[in-house]
């Protein structure tokens, strides 16, 4: 009988169970791994392409509620989504097994098992694993083909050129730029063009991470490390194993925590809270900040040695104010992407929108543009987006005169809306996307009181 090409991992604390399972399974499947410690699951999964895990639900004497099995099921699904998990228990805890199926287990078996039934379940699980693998390969191909808007400005083209070169290495990267300039997208671009593209890309928003959660979130923790530490839990660095971790807003880390991060980056190891043994890391680090990081170093609020560690390569992203020629093409690109997101076609901007797009200050950069276009697409009618839909009329930066076409268009839009709503200020302001005060200012400016 020809063995099936599959790698099976059996996890149980009883050696006789491991021996029995291996004897049965090795006759039908190519490779069988066994371990009596669930803590070894992570290393086995990281080093091998495991198709199926046959996972016991109870390990400690006196604890037979299956909660450990549920914990390790979640770990496996996080670390290796394509791996199929079959739960097994000697105590017939059907309720817990059903809970496991709801959160991702393929099936369950009761010990002592029927050999034919066990082989049947594992055979189906191997087939399911192969389906998942094909699906994931297709999804990864689609993800790799994700479209990125580059533009024509010299600064952004230079940034992308550097990104493509550094992506081929494992060098740490520091991305600088104002809020909304696309630092996340840029980090993702580097990851997707690297050898790690099929591995995890883990984003950590350090700006929203409180001091007391910093270590547990990034480095993980052992059961009992603190009051609510009910189970062993890996941190974000471990979750990014073999892939990329993106440390966003790194300039927000307090000094006393910067030393802990520096130690991880220097040693390429991480130690969970409550443990003493460091775990090796294979992770590419990309960091980003909108702060003047060099000024923070001078002011002694950011460690100079940490800066040197994270900025092997430094990339500066320009604001939209520095790439005016890209504004209209970018808006069209974003509109196309958002329309695709909502499964809609043939959306366009009104002809006069380009002038407003170029004049608007875009203080929130690309993020602000994305938000305004998405909102406009939701509210607009007839697949056409106007200036009012975009809500980009109310700003002080426009220098207007009687010959400025923007002034004439704005005046005409206000007159039209006032007429439509019989002079009702509230309804007119709502349609134009203005506050009542802003609308009053414009009525005075264009002498539209009567």
């Amino acid at each position: 009988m020809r063995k099936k090409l599959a790698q099976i991992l059996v996890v149980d604390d009883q050696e006789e169970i491991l021996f029995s399972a291996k004897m049965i399974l090795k006759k039908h499947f190519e490779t069988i791994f066994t371990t009596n410690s669930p803590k070894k699951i992570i290393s086995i999964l990281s080093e091998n392409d495991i198709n199926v895990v046959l996972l016991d639900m109870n390990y400690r004497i006196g604890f037979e509620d299956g909660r450990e099995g549920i914990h390790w099921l979640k770990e496996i699904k996080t670390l290796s989504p394509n791996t199929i998990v079959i739960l097994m228990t000697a105590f017939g805890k059907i309720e817990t097994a059903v809970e496991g199926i709801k959160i991702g287990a393929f099936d369950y078996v009761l010990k002592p098992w029927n050999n034919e039934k066990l082989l049947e379940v594992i055979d189906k699980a191997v087939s399911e694993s192969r389906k998942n693998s094909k699906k994931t390969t297709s999804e990864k191909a689609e993800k790799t083909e994700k479209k990125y808007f580059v533009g024509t400005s010299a600064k952004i083209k230079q940034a992308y050129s550097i990104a493509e070169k550094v992506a081929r290495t494992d060098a740490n990267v520091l991305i600088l730029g104002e809020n909304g300039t696309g630092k996340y997208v840029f980090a993702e671009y580097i990851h997707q063009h690297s050898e790690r593209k099929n591995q995890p890309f883990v984003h950590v928003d350090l700006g929203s991470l409180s001091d007391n959660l910093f270590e547990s979130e990034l480095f993980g923790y052992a059961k009992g490390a603190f009051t609510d530490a009910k189970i062993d839990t890996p941190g974000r660095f471990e979750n990014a194993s073999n892939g990329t971790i993106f440390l966003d807003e790194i300039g927000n880390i307090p000094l006393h925590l910067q030393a802990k991060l520096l130690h991880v980056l220097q040693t390429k190891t991480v130690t969970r809270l409550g443990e003493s043994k460091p775990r090796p890391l294979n992770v590419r680090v990309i960091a980003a900040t909108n702060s003047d990081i060099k000024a923070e170093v001078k002011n002694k609020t950011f460690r100079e040695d940490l800066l040197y560690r994270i900025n092997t390569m430094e990339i500066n992203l320009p604001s939209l104010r520095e790439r005016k020629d890209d504004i209209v093409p970018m808006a069209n690109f974003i509109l196309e992407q958002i329309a695709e997101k909502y499964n809609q076609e043939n959306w366009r901007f009104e002809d006069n929108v380009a002038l407003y797009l170029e004049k608007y200050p875009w203080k929130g950069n690309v993020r602000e543009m994305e938000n305004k276009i998405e909102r406009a697409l939701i509210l607009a009618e007839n697949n056409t987006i106007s200036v009012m839909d975009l809500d980009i009329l109310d700003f002080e930066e426009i220098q207007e005169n009687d010959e400025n076409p923007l002034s004439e268009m704005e005046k005409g839009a206000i007159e039209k809306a006032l007429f439509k709503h019989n002079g009702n200020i509230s309804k007119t302001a709502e349609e134009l996307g203005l506050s009542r005060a802003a609308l009053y200012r414009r009525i005075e400016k264009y002498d539209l009181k009567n």
Side-chain angles (χ1 to χ4, degrees):
M1 182 178 63
R2 188 175 181 180
K3 295 182 181 181
K4 286 194 174 184
L5 289 173
Q7 298 193 63
I8 314 294
L9 170 62
V10 185
V11 188
D12 197 292
D13 59 344
Q14 299 180 55
E15 291 295 338
E16 61 271 23
I17 294 292
L18 296 178
F19 178 80
S20 176
K22 188 168 186 176
M23 289 300 100
I24 296 166
L25 298 176
K26 73 177 185 178
K27 297 177 183 178
H28 300 271
F29 303 99
E30 191 70 26
T31 307
I32 310 299
F33 297 91
T34 63
T35 179
N36 61 6
S37 172
K39 292 184 179 181
K40 295 180 181 178
I41 291 174
I42 293 173
S43 60
I44 294 173
L45 287 177
S46 64
E47 295 169 7
N48 303 277
D49 187 14
I50 301 296
N51 299 97
V52 177
V53 175
L54 187 59
L55 178 68
D56 186 30
M57 297 190 72
N58 300 290
Y59 296 91
R60 292 175 299 158
I61 296 174
F63 292 86
E64 299 170 358
D65 59 2
R67 304 319 302 175
E68 286 179 292
I70 294 296
H71 163 67
W72 287 107
L73 165 64
K74 292 177 180 178
E75 289 283 286
I76 293 167
K77 299 310 290 182
T78 299
L79 294 168
S80 183
N82 288 341
T83 298
I84 302 299
V85 180
I86 298 170
L87 301 173
M88 59 177 175
T89 177
F91 302 96
K93 296 289 184 179
I94 304 298
E95 299 86 353
T96 310
V98 170
E99 179 187 344
I101 290 174
K102 287 180 180 179
I103 61 175
F106 179 74
D107 206 339
Y108 67 90
V109 294
L110 300 178
K111 296 184 291 184
W113 58 67
N114 175 283
N115 289 351
E116 289 184 6
K117 174 66 175 175
L118 178 66
L119 289 171
E120 180 185 345
V121 171
I122 291 182
D123 191 55
K124 289 179 180 178
V126 168
S127 299
E128 186 69 18
S129 172
R130 288 172 180 163
K131 288 179 187 177
N132 286 354
S133 181
K134 289 179 181 178
K135 182 179 178 182
T136 302
T137 300
S138 173
E139 289 173 349
K140 285 176 179 175
E142 289 178 8
K143 191 173 181 181
T144 302
E145 294 168 4
K146 177 179 177 177
K147 295 179 182 177
Y148 294 89
F149 179 84
V150 178
T152 59
S153 73
K155 288 185 177 181
I156 197 65
K157 289 175 74 174
Q158 180 186 32
Y160 271 99
S161 175
I162 295 172
E164 288 171 4
K165 292 175 182 175
V166 76
R168 296 192 289 265
T169 74
D170 267 346
N172 292 341
V173 181
L174 176 62
I175 303 174
L176 303 174
E178 295 179 7
N179 277 329
T181 48
K183 295 186 286 293
Y184 175 92
V185 172
F186 223 73
E188 185 185 49
Y189 180 89
I190 294 171
H191 174 74
Q192 287 298 323
H193 287 76
S194 74
E195 293 297 320
R196 298 173 180 266
K197 63 184 178 182
N198 292 328
Q199 300 300 325
F201 175 77
V202 176
H203 173 219
V204 186
D205 182 3
L206 296 172
S208 64
L209 204 59
S210 63
D211 292 5
N212 60 335
L213 291 178
F214 181 88
E215 290 183 77
S216 60
E217 280 291 314
L218 262 63
F219 311 144
Y221 53 86
K223 180 179 179 180
F226 47 86
T227 304
D228 293 325
K230 305 296 185 184
I231 55 176
D232 292 339
T233 303
R236 304 290 186 89
F237 271 97
E238 286 183 76
N239 289 338
S241 180
N242 299 316
T244 302
I245 188 166
F246 175 43
L247 303 175
D248 202 0
E249 301 303 342
I250 196 168
N252 290 14
I253 305 177
L255 268 173
H256 69 282
L257 295 176
Q258 291 175 26
K260 298 180 183 294
L261 177 60
L262 178 62
H263 178 76
V264 170
L265 300 183
Q266 285 177 330
T267 63
K268 295 184 179 179
T269 63
V270 64
T271 304
R272 293 182 183 179
L273 284 175
E275 293 184 349
S276 58
K277 185 179 179 181
R279 299 166 183 261
L281 285 177
N282 177 11
V283 176
R284 204 269 181 78
V285 177
I286 301 178
T289 182
N290 63 351
S291 63
D292 186 344
I293 200 76
K294 292 185 174 68
E296 290 190 21
V297 169
K298 288 182 180 178
N299 295 332
K300 306 296 184 183
T301 56
F302 196 88
R303 292 178 63 115
E304 188 173 22
D305 48 2
L306 179 56
L307 175 60
Y308 290 147
R309 181 63 61 176
I310 62 176
N311 78 335
T312 304
M313 184 61 67
E314 189 175 292
I315 300 176
N316 285 273
L317 296 187
S319 65
L320 280 184
R321 298 184 302 281
E322 300 173 88
R323 47 187 304 202
K324 289 269 188 185
D325 291 345
D326 289 338
I327 288 177
V328 174
M330 181 182 288
N332 285 311
F333 173 83
I334 291 172
L335 176 59
E336 181 182 340
Q337 297 294 304
I338 293 174
E340 186 177 320
K341 170 184 172 181
Y342 288 104
N343 296 315
Q344 298 188 36
E345 298 178 347
N346 303 319
W347 276 85
R348 69 177 188 86
F349 294 108
E350 286 186 354
D351 293 340
N352 66 338
V353 166
L355 289 169
Y356 283 93
L357 287 170
E358 291 176 345
K359 280 289 186 180
Y360 190 78
W362 299 114
K363 293 180 180 179
N365 292 294
V366 181
R367 185 184 300 133
E368 182 182 9
M369 181 182 283
E370 288 175 337
N371 290 342
K372 284 189 175 293
I373 292 175
E374 182 165 9
R375 175 182 177 276
L377 184 142
I378 292 170
L379 297 176
E381 299 177 356
N382 302 319
N383 288 47
T384 303
I385 292 176
S386 68
V387 175
M388 280 83 77
D389 295 325
L390 284 169
D391 186 23
I392 55 174
L393 287 172
D394 189 18
F395 59 93
E396 303 298 327
E397 283 75 7
I398 284 185
Q399 300 298 317
E400 298 169 336
N401 55 55
D402 293 339
E403 297 179 357
N404 190 332
L406 290 175
S407 298
E408 291 303 315
M409 283 187 285
E410 184 177 63
K411 179 181 178 182
I414 294 171
E415 285 181 314
K416 182 179 177 181
L418 282 168
F419 179 78
K420 175 181 176 181
H421 296 291
N422 297 316
N424 186 299
I425 297 297
S426 296
K427 291 182 178 180
T428 301
E430 183 178 358
E431 176 172 324
L432 295 174
L434 299 173
S435 64
R436 286 171 57 91
L439 178 56
Y440 275 123
R441 288 198 300 271
R442 282 161 173 73
I443 289 173
E444 282 190 21
K445 179 168 66 174
Y446 297 126
D447 195 23
L448 298 175
K449 296 177 183 177
N450 297 321

